[in-house]
Amino acid sequence: MTISRPLTDTFGRVHTSLRISVTDRCNIRCFYCMPAENVRFMPRSEILSFEEIERFVRIVARLGVRKLRLTGGEPLVRADVPALVEKLVAVPGIDEVALTTNGILLSEQARALKQAGLARLNISLDTLREETFQRISRREGLDRVLEGIAAAQEAGFGDIRLNAVAIRGLTEEEVVPLARFALERGLEMRFIEYMPLDADGTWRTEQVLAGRDIRFALEAEFGPLIPLKRDDPSKPAVDYRLASGTGRIGFINPVSEPFCGDCNRLRITAEGRVRNCLFSTVEWDARSLLRGGATDDEIARLVHECVGAKKAGHGIDSPDFLKPERAMYQIGG
Ligand code: SAM
C-alpha cells in the first residue's frame, strides 16, 4: 500500500476516529432510533465479516485513524465481539478501541471484553424507571442494564460514561436522578440532544431538550457546574465538574450547539458503507471493494474520496436539511 496521507477534508479537519457498526440488529426498540415492530434487518451475508472489518481498519490506520468505537444496532447481539476487539486492538496504529452498548448483555460479556483489550465503554441509560424504560425502548430490561453497568465496573472498566438521550416531555424528570446515580458510582453522566434520526420520522424541534436547560436543572439541585478545559476539541461532549465535588457531567449538544467544525469522525455501516457524517445522504461502498478483489490503495482512495466530500456541517438547522434515509440503528450511533 503506497497511499498513507492523512484523511484531511477540504476544511482542514483531520479524521482520526472511526465508528464501526457491527450489526443493525438490536434487542430493544427505542422510538428515537428504530421502528417499533417488523424491522427489516440486513441479511447476515451483507454484513461485513470480522476479517473484512479488520482489513478496513488496517487500511485506515495507515491513513491516520487512531481510535475506534464499535456500535450498532446493539453491538453485543453479534456473536463473539470480544474476538473482534482482540483483532482490532492488535492493528498497528490503533491506540484505543471503545464500544457503545445499551448494557443489556453486558453482565455476560464485560469480563471478556476487558480481557480482549477494550479500553472504554459508553452505556446508554435514559431513565431509572422501568415504566419509562419500556415507554422508550418498547421492551423490558432496565434491571439488566443496571446489572450490566455494575458488571462493567467489576470487570475493571474505568471512565465509564452513561449516555441519556434528552427528550422534552420525557427526560426532565430523569435528569436529577440519573446524575445522582452516576455521581454516586463515580461514572460520568452525559446528556445527548435528540437528533432527527428516528426511523418513524416523527422528530420535532420542540422535542429537543437543550443541554443548556438540563444544565440549569442540575445546577438548581447540585450547585454550580464548572466547565472543564477541553483536552481534545474533537470530543463531542462539553464536560463540567460539580463545584462541590469531583463528579463529571457531560453535554452533547449537536442540535443547539453543533460541533461540526472540530469533527474528526468517520463511520462504516454494518454492511460496509463509509460515511463522513451521521447526517450524510451519500455513502461510499467499501464492501464491494473488499469483496471484489480491490487493492488496499483502491480502498484507501475510496475513504479519501468520502472524507474529501464532507460538508462543513450537518445542516440540521438549515431550511434545506434533508433527513438521511437511514435511521440511527442503520448507521451506527
Ligand atoms: N445500541 C447501542 C446503545 O444503545 O448504546 C449502540 C447504538 S445506539 C444507536 C448509540 C447511541 O445513540 C445511544 O446512546 C442512543 O441512545 C443514541 N441515539 C439513538 N438515536 C438517537 C437520536 N435520534 N438522537 C440522539 N441520540 C440517539
Side-chain angles (χ1 to χ4, degrees):
M1 172 161 160
T2 51
I3 299 178
S4 60
R5 42 176 215 288
L7 293 164
T8 310
D9 71 11
T10 56
F11 302 92
R13 295 171 295 197
V14 183
H15 291 69
T16 56
S17 171
L18 174 70
R19 305 227 168 173
I20 302 170
S21 175
V22 297
T23 180
D24 59 344
R25 287 164 200 260
C26 192
N27 40 9
I28 54 177
R29 295 284 182 275
C30 300
F31 72 83
Y32 48 67
C33 183
M34 294 187 77
E37 301 300 336
N38 304 321
V39 190
R40 289 174 58 197
F41 293 114
M42 268 175 266
R44 290 196 191 269
S45 58
E46 292 193 9
I47 304 258
L48 293 190
S49 67
F50 286 175
E51 289 67 30
E52 288 166 338
I53 294 174
E54 185 191 359
R55 179 174 173 214
F56 184 80
V57 166
R58 281 187 188 279
I59 295 167
V60 295
R62 289 193 213 117
L63 308 177
V65 167
R66 296 288 166 260
K67 289 190 179 179
L68 306 176
R69 176 169 293 279
L70 304 182
T71 182
E74 169 49 40
L76 299 186
V77 301
R78 180 152 176 185
D80 222 3
V81 170
L84 175 64
V85 171
E86 219 170 282
K87 282 180 193 294
L88 299 181
V89 166
V91 171
I94 295 302
D95 295 336
E96 182 182 291
V97 181
L99 180 135
T100 300
T101 173
N102 62 29
I104 289 180
L105 296 174
L106 200 49
S107 63
E108 295 148 37
Q109 300 193 34
R111 201 174 291 274
L113 288 165
K114 181 75 183 159
Q115 275 166 5
L118 190 76
R120 282 167 169 280
L121 272 173
N122 285 0
I123 307 171
S124 300
L125 181 69
D126 298 333
T127 176
L128 289 167
R129 290 184 294 185
E130 176 66 28
E131 191 199 331
T132 312
F133 183 89
Q134 289 184 26
R135 252 175 86 197
I136 296 172
S137 69
R138 303 177 285 202
R139 294 288 186 275
E140 295 176 356
L142 176 61
D143 287 354
R144 296 183 69 192
V145 177
L146 299 180
E147 281 165 28
I149 295 170
Q153 290 196 283
E154 272 162 36
F157 283 102
D159 295 335
I160 297 173
R161 299 182 190 127
L162 303 181
N163 289 336
V165 180
I167 293 161
R168 194 171 284 288
L170 243 175
T171 308
E172 291 91 334
E173 302 280 291
E174 310 293 333
V175 168
V176 167
L178 282 172
R180 186 167 288 121
F181 175 89
L183 292 167
E184 284 171 359
R185 287 162 181 75
L187 309 171
E188 175 171 352
M189 190 69 229
R190 299 199 310 185
F191 296 95
I192 310 175
E193 287 176 352
Y194 179 22
M195 296 180 276
L197 289 167
D198 58 312
D200 302 331
T202 59
W203 179 93
R204 298 284 170 270
T205 316
E206 304 79 70
Q207 291 174 290
V208 178
L209 179 59
R212 186 187 343 99
D213 295 339
I214 298 177
R215 182 155 55 81
F216 294 154
L218 290 172
E219 289 190 322
E221 180 71 20
F222 299 106
L225 291 177
I226 316 289
L228 289 166
K229 229 180 116 222
R230 300 189 80 172
D231 44 358
D232 175 1
S234 66
K235 268 180 58 182
V238 182
D239 291 321
Y240 288 76
R241 71 172 175 82
L242 293 187
S244 57
T246 52
R248 282 164 76 113
I249 310 268
F251 299 92
I252 302 183
N253 302 338
V255 183
S256 67
E257 298 169 51
F259 38 81
C260 306
D262 291 317
C263 182
N264 69 346
R265 281 177 292 285
L266 268 179
R267 293 166 194 274
I268 185 160
T269 65
E271 85 280 40
R273 305 282 168 102
V274 190
R275 299 174 65 92
N276 56 30
C277 177
L278 262 180
F279 294 95
S280 176
T281 51
V282 190
E283 299 177 332
W284 282 259
D285 183 3
R287 189 187 65 195
S288 311
L289 296 187
L290 287 162
R291 294 189 180 172
T295 64
D296 288 357
D297 273 348
E298 283 166 330
I299 294 169
R301 236 174 264 128
L302 175 100
V303 181
H304 266 291
E305 204 181 297
C306 168
V307 169
K310 183 156 170 156
K311 294 187 178 160
H314 57 44
I316 298 178
D317 47 355
S318 125
D320 41 320
F321 172 69
L322 206 58
K323 185 181 177 302
E325 268 172 36
R326 286 177 186 259
M328 188 67 125
Y329 75 102
Q330 297 165 313
I331 300 173

Coordinates of all heavy atoms in Angstrom, one line a residue, residues 14 16 46 48 61 108 152 198 222 238 255 272 277 325:
V14 N -8.8 16.8 10.2 CA -8.1 15.5 10.0 C -8.9 14.4 10.7 O -9.2 14.5 11.9 CB -6.7 15.7 10.6 CG1 -5.9 14.4 10.4 CG2 -6.0 16.9 10.0
T16 N -9.3 11.0 12.5 CA -8.5 10.0 13.2 C -9.4 9.1 14.0 O -8.9 8.3 14.7 CB -7.6 10.8 14.2 OG1 -8.4 11.6 15.1 CG2 -6.5 11.6 13.5
E46 N -24.8 -9.9 4.1 CA -24.5 -8.5 3.7 C -23.6 -7.8 4.7 O -23.0 -6.7 4.4 CB -25.8 -7.7 3.5 CG -26.6 -8.2 2.3 CD -27.7 -7.2 1.9 OE1 -27.7 -6.1 2.5 OE2 -28.5 -7.6 1.1
L48 N -20.5 -7.1 7.1 CA -19.0 -7.3 7.0 C -18.6 -8.4 8.0 O -19.0 -8.4 9.1 CB -18.2 -6.1 7.3 CG -18.3 -4.9 6.3 CD1 -17.3 -3.8 6.6 CD2 -18.2 -5.3 4.8
A61 N -6.0 2.8 9.4 CA -4.9 3.1 10.4 C -3.7 3.6 9.7 O -3.0 4.5 10.3 CB -4.6 1.8 11.2
E108 N -23.0 -10.4 30.9 CA -22.4 -11.6 30.4 C -21.1 -11.4 29.7 O -20.3 -12.3 29.6 CB -23.4 -12.3 29.4 CG -24.7 -12.7 30.0 CD -25.8 -12.6 29.0 OE1 -25.6 -12.9 27.8 OE2 -26.9 -12.2 29.4
A152 N -19.7 -4.0 34.5 CA -18.6 -3.3 33.8 C -17.6 -2.7 34.8 O -16.4 -2.8 34.6 CB -19.2 -2.2 32.9
D198 N -34.6 9.3 13.9 CA -35.6 8.2 14.3 C -36.1 7.6 13.0 O -36.1 8.2 11.9 CB -36.7 8.8 15.1 CG -37.5 9.9 14.4 OD1 -36.8 10.8 13.8 OD2 -38.7 9.9 14.3
F222 N -27.6 20.6 42.3 CA -26.3 20.2 42.8 C -25.4 21.4 43.0 O -24.2 21.3 43.4 CB -25.6 19.2 41.9 CG -26.3 17.9 41.7 CD1 -27.1 17.7 40.5 CD2 -26.3 17.0 42.7 CE1 -27.7 16.5 40.3 CE2 -27.0 15.8 42.5 CZ -27.7 15.5 41.3
V238 N -19.2 18.4 25.9 CA -18.6 19.5 26.7 C -18.8 19.0 28.2 O -19.9 18.8 28.6 CB -19.3 20.8 26.5 CG1 -18.7 21.9 27.3 CG2 -19.3 21.2 25.0
V255 N -27.7 19.7 18.3 CA -28.8 20.4 17.7 C -28.6 21.9 18.1 O -28.6 22.8 17.2 CB -30.1 19.9 18.1 CG1 -31.3 20.7 17.4 CG2 -30.2 18.4 17.8
G272 N -20.8 -2.1 5.4 CA -19.6 -1.7 4.7 C -19.7 -0.4 3.9 O -19.0 -0.2 2.9
C277 N -20.5 11.6 7.8 CA -21.3 12.3 8.8 C -22.6 11.5 9.1 O -23.0 10.7 8.3 CB -21.8 13.6 8.2 SG -22.9 14.6 9.2
E325 N -32.0 8.9 4.7 CA -33.0 7.8 4.6 C -32.8 6.8 5.7 O -33.8 6.2 6.2 CB -32.8 7.1 3.3 CG -33.6 7.7 2.2 CD -33.3 7.1 0.8 OE1 -33.0 5.9 0.8 OE2 -33.3 7.9 -0.1

